[in-house]
Amino acid sequence: MAEQTRIAIVDDEQDMRQSISQWLALSGFATETYASAEEALKKITPDYPGVVISDIRMPGMDGMQFLKRLMSADSSLPVIMITGHGDVPMAVEAMQLGAYDFMEKPFNPDRLTELARRAAQARKLTLDNRALRRELSDGTVLMRKLIGTSPAMERLREDILDLGQADTHVLIDGETGTGKTLVAHALHAVGPRQGKTFALTSCAALGEEALGAKLFGPVTEGGLPLVEEARGGTLVLEDIEALPLALQARLLTFINDQGTPAETRIVAIHNGSDPEKTLEDSLRPDLFFRLAAMKLVLPPLRNRGEDVLTLFTHFAESFGEEYGATPPQLSAQEAAQLLQAPWPGNVRQLINLGERAVLQQRRGTGSISSLLMSDTQEQGETVQVTTEGKPLKEYVEAFERMLIDNTMRRHRGSIAGVMEELSLPRRTLNEKMAKYGLSRGNYL
């Protein structure tokens, strides 16, 4: 992490700037130096990916004024203040204003390195959390995460865009691992409640008393109950089937008291993995019909056709980048097995398979078939290696599309490179790309 972290060094003394910069550069940091606070402010913007080290006593804008400007722009930015002898009270004041820490001259270079390293770790965590919050509030980003071109996924994305604009409550149903929580985030992000509170809890994670306190209060020093925190936004209740009857009555009262349109949207998530028990069996009828005013049913992975191959490729490439390994390339037999697998764990199971396949590839052992066999045997299922249940033509076409898609991405849209690797003449490649809806422009 340190190798990628930037350190801005601000000091009017050139020798001091250079010595700090040289020492931290030897420790693996990317350093940049500034002779004045005014010069540094032109470059250090909110979300600056690093740490600031600044002298306190400087001509023009001094370190304290500089710190105040930085804190007003980004209060989480770590700023380490360098102070001369006798300026410790000023450094303490800087800490009260938000400085990360201070060091008194002459200082131990090793301690400065360790301080910079800890500040950089804190900065990375802050920026990662910000990026995650932005991602979960960006409808465009979230919709792109709903990967797949199957008719079921096309309909799901259209339904999310339609229901996102509505003021009614929504019930999301589907098997475990189908992405119900992601869809709840997307519903919130593509509608008028974007930017308002998104509160989520699981009705199965707490006992009745603790869940009641978390949802309905009373107000404590720890914060507001979720029904108050989420006012004007979205309240997501996962595992709604586990909500105790007494709390069902309180939730119904809360919904009825809001009137129409609802001030707070309720998104209820039902884990529909038990075909013997429907949500209507678990909820009182009046609450069920209020929550199920609009309903989204997420398709299981086994019904999404060649989305399985698209998703596997996506996850394998992502984990390949994370682990610094080459993602595995599917054989025709492995592609057929993925298409026929029952996928009881749905997309979540496929993500785990993609990660294990990459780790296995890095070690140079095993096969995707063995991983899939292990998964399905644990679930009490059997793996079909034949093409029973679907015409052979469908499996061949799905594999062919995946192969061309993967090769185009590896060659970044180079038609010549794809033609050479797949031994295809240009006309044949063009015809197959048109047949499978693949456009060269998507790979450039």
Side-chain angles (χ1 to χ4, degrees), residues 394-408:
E394 289 189 27
Y395 288 101
V396 172
E397 289 179 348
F399 177 72
E400 193 172 60
R401 184 188 188 282
M402 179 201 70
L403 193 61
I404 295 173
D405 178 51
N406 290 349
T407 310
M408 286 292 292

Side-chain angles (χ1 to χ4, degrees), residues 407-436:
T407 310
M408 286 292 292
R409 270 189 281 111
R410 277 200 307 278
H411 289 279
R412 298 182 180 178
S414 168
I415 296 295
V418 175
M419 289 167 54
E420 181 179 356
E421 181 172 336
L422 299 181
S423 300
L424 285 175
R426 178 181 289 272
R427 180 176 177 181
T428 304
L429 178 59
N430 289 341
E431 289 173 350
K432 291 185 178 296
M433 289 182 65
K435 176 182 177 181
Y436 299 129

